[in-house]
Amino acid sequence: MLPLILILLPWLVFPSQENLPADTTAVFAEKRIALSFSGSDSFIPEESQLNLAHSTGIDLLEISEVTLFENVQADSFSILLNTPIHFPTSFELAATKTEIVSTIHRHYREAQELFPDRIIAVNTFNFPAETKPDFSQLSADIADSLFSVINTPLYFRSAYNQPPVLPAGFSFTSGYITPATIDAGISTPVVHFLPSENSRQSLEALEELFSQTESFSESIIIIPAEWLFNRIEQQPELEYVFSSYIAGNPIPFPLPAETPPRPITNWSVVLLFFIWASFVIHFRYQPVYTHSLSRYFLNHTFFVKDVMEHRIRNATPGLILYAQHALLTGLFLYVSSEVLVSNIGLAALSHHFSNFLIEGHELISLFFLGVFTALVLQTVSILWIYAFNKKLRFFSQVLNLYCWPFHLNLVVVTFLVVFNLQGSADVWVLSVSLVFGIIWFLSFNIAAIDSARFLDKFKVTNILVTVGFHILLVSFFIWLFLNSPDIIEPLQLAISLP
């Protein structure tokens, strides 16, 4: 029946049967639910749980770690094999095509030994950079290479509820549905459902998803196995809901009582308040700082003269600004990432930059990465200016010259936090981020030029080895960043993921 439907309804996500490299009829049989063991590799089902699932009508398992099922009796289930390739970029697909094909083939052989003749489809990769123009061709090339060693339908797991492309050689694409995206609808009969922490909200979304799949004659909903078993344990009547859906007679969901939302601490606001509090206390109890703050911006020449002639000797204001800006940099990375990058995008960042970010704690990792980076760069900048200017005899001098522009970034980050709270457009966040970088960049150049004016000779040479080399160095790193696909493409992927 399926080949006929596919011929008559070419607008479906699936290509026509004659274009498929392998028979996909066994994959689809009206309404099906698959249990996914791909998101929680530590969860191993008990035999009673699998028996319960089978009695409900569930006959599909999506598995990533094959070895975890060596001692599990799952003979009653067909297998969707999920290969361990996550967040591939276009650069990776092109540069490591041979390795990708080899990895998928090896994983397939291991699974065939444990599940002989029961693998009905292979997921080649999870959440790829599918919006890139070259993705279709690159993935089609990989699929073509795989068909020489694997005679099984291929699919990939999209990050979108309505996947934008279906490359040649792929039998279908799995959409990605959460309670937050269910209202946008689906365009593919195969979807991964990711519940939220709110059980009632998740069940309402799943009920709506059941309703939306009614528009397809055949569909597969892939649900995290651990979550489903936990829900049935707490609500045994859900067993009948799932069995009725699979039988083609959907019934309303029994919903648990509404739970009040837990209060959420907005750590960006807390940290910003702490930084502003340190500024107010500093301004209130440091008389020298109070008088110098306005002079730097309104009477800059006299401020620089006082610093260079050591009439402003106190290093405390500079040290406080030094520490404040390090915290501001961490907060800047935290908030800008929270605005521009989704949860799945953060997972992509920790996957590609695992040496810097902790999986599941990406935002806090970015905060500490920002603090550490700021401390290193600020220290190098201060030593750089100090080492090439003989008129700078005290670290307090270069501290006060270099750190004073950082007051502006306190205002910039405050706007960034406000934009985040208001849900402002990304373009505003990007604009504020650009201003933050420009202020930091100019702080070094202004401090180097201010101090060079007091040299008796070699002023131009001093400016060349400080400001000139600084501009060249920053330009080089920007060029290197933009021309390093192993860096720029993961960042682009993380920002683009919904």
Side-chain angles (χ1 to χ4, degrees):
M1 179 179 179
L2 177 63
L4 178 60
I5 294 176
L6 290 175
I7 292 173
L8 295 177
L9 300 177
W11 46 268
L12 286 176
V13 172
F14 307 108
S16 63
Q17 188 71 21
E18 62 184 11
N19 292 329
L20 297 181
D23 180 34
T24 60
T25 305
V27 181
F28 302 98
E30 299 184 356
K31 308 302 180 185
R32 304 179 78 175
I33 293 176
L35 299 180
S36 174
F37 296 88
S38 300
S40 55
D41 294 334
S42 60
F43 175 68
I44 303 176
E46 298 177 0
E47 184 176 353
S48 59
Q49 291 176 319
L50 290 181
N51 290 337
L52 172 65
H54 187 260
S55 65
T56 303
I58 298 174
D59 61 352
L60 279 177
L61 303 180
E62 184 187 57
I63 296 174
S64 293
E65 293 293 331
V66 177
T67 55
L68 294 178
F69 281 76
E70 289 179 345
N71 299 317
V72 176
Q73 293 296 325
D75 296 340
S76 302
F77 297 87
S78 298
I79 304 299
L80 299 172
L81 182 63
N82 185 26
T83 50
I85 299 174
H86 294 78
F87 307 109
T89 63
S90 295
F91 172 74
E92 283 182 294
L93 293 178
T96 62
K97 171 187 170 182
T98 303
E99 291 81 354
I100 290 175
V101 172
S102 177
T103 298
I104 296 174
H105 184 211
R106 182 173 61 252
H107 194 61
Y108 176 79
R109 290 201 315 269
E110 293 173 355
Q112 274 285 45
E113 293 178 2
L114 188 60
F115 307 107
D117 301 323
R118 287 195 286 131
I119 300 175
I120 61 173
V122 176
N123 179 16
T124 54
F125 24 69
N126 298 272
F127 313 123
E130 56 194 293
T131 57
K132 286 286 187 178
D134 55 354
F135 170 74
S136 292
Q137 184 58 51
L138 291 170
S139 54
D141 291 342
I142 290 175
D144 186 57
S145 298
L146 283 171
F147 287 131
S148 63
V149 291
I150 296 177
N151 187 29
T152 303
L154 302 178
Y155 71 103
F156 71 87
R157 185 177 180 182
S158 172
Y160 297 84
N161 59 317
Q162 298 181 359
V165 295
L166 178 64
F170 285 83
S171 301
F172 58 94
T173 305
S174 169
Y176 183 67
I177 298 295
T178 67
T181 62
I182 184 64
D183 291 338
I186 59 175
S187 63
T188 171
V190 182
V191 294
H192 277 79
F193 176 72
L194 182 67
S196 67
E197 294 182 358
N198 188 310
S199 300
R200 182 185 177 91
Q201 184 186 63
S202 298
L203 289 175
E204 288 176 336
L206 188 56
E207 183 176 23
E208 174 62 22
L209 181 58
F210 279 9
S211 175
Q212 292 184 14
T213 56
E214 289 299 313
S215 61
F216 300 101
S217 59
E218 296 152 321
S219 63
I220 300 175
I221 300 176
I222 305 171
I223 305 174
E226 188 173 14
W227 178 84
L228 185 141
F229 288 134
N230 287 337
R231 292 314 312 160
I232 290 180
E233 182 179 353
Q234 297 179 39
Q235 295 179 260
E237 60 272 22
L238 287 175
E239 178 183 349
Y240 303 103
V241 174
F242 294 126
S243 61
S244 296
Y245 169 76
I246 294 172
N249 303 303
I251 60 176
F253 273 58
L255 300 176
E258 187 73 64
T259 56
R262 294 180 298 176
I264 300 175
T265 302
N266 194 319
W267 291 109
S268 60
V269 175
V270 172
L271 182 57
L272 181 64
F273 177 82
F274 170 78
I275 296 173
W276 269 108
S278 68
F279 168 79
V280 172
I281 293 172
H282 187 202
F283 187 85
R284 174 68 176 81
Y285 294 102
Q286 271 284 348
V288 175
Y289 175 66
T290 303
H291 297 303
S292 302
L293 179 57
S294 60
R295 293 187 69 189
Y296 179 86
F297 295 101
L298 301 178
N299 206 344
H300 186 75
T301 302
F302 288 101
F303 174 88
V304 174
K305 187 175 181 180
D306 286 344
V307 170
M308 295 302 297
E309 293 179 357
H310 208 47
R311 286 195 289 270
I312 298 179
R313 303 183 180 185
N314 196 342
T316 302
L319 289 172
I320 291 176
L321 285 169
Y322 174 91
Q324 284 177 341
H325 193 257
L327 293 175
L328 283 172
T329 305
L331 181 59
F332 163 76
L333 271 183
Y334 182 101
V335 177
S336 57
S337 299
E338 190 175 36
V339 173
L340 298 175
V341 186
S342 64
N343 289 334
I344 192 171
L346 291 172
L349 286 179
S350 62
H351 172 79
H352 284 281
F353 305 108
S354 56
N355 292 332
F356 302 98
L357 305 179
I358 301 174
E359 184 179 0
H361 304 279
E362 290 85 4
L363 287 177
I364 193 66
S365 300
L366 285 166
F367 169 76
F368 284 111
L369 179 63
V371 172
F372 175 77
T373 302
L375 290 175
V376 171
L377 293 180
Q378 290 171 187
T379 301
V380 170
S381 298
I382 290 170
L383 292 175
W384 189 352
I385 297 173
Y386 181 81
F388 288 98
N389 194 319
K390 294 182 179 180
K391 289 291 183 178
L392 294 170
R393 293 170 293 173
F394 305 95
F395 273 109
S396 62
Q397 292 173 298
V398 66
L399 264 175
N400 289 326
L401 290 177
Y402 174 70
C403 293
W404 241 253
F406 293 160
H407 288 97
L408 298 176
N409 272 345
L410 175 57
V411 178
V412 169
V413 174
T414 299
F415 275 112
L416 183 62
V417 173
V418 172
F419 288 154
N420 184 25
L421 293 176
Q422 293 181 342
S424 299
D426 292 352
V427 64
W428 288 106
V429 176
L430 291 171
S431 300
V432 169
S433 301
L434 182 62
V435 173
F436 182 92
I438 291 174
I439 291 172
W440 195 355
F441 172 75
L442 291 178
S443 65
F444 177 91
N445 296 338
I446 293 172
I449 293 172
D450 284 340
S451 59
R453 289 173 181 166
F454 289 82
L455 288 171
D456 298 325
K457 54 183 179 179
F458 303 120
K459 292 182 181 180
V460 175
T461 302
N462 178 269
I463 292 176
L464 287 176
V465 298
T466 53
V467 177
F469 189 66
H470 178 245
I471 294 174
L472 288 176
L473 192 63
V474 170
S475 300
F476 170 75
F477 277 110
I478 292 175
W479 175 86
L480 184 64
F481 171 79
L482 295 176
N483 289 275
S484 298
D486 54 337
I487 298 176
I488 188 67
E489 287 197 13
L491 294 176
Q492 292 173 336
L493 172 62
I495 294 174
S496 69
L497 289 173

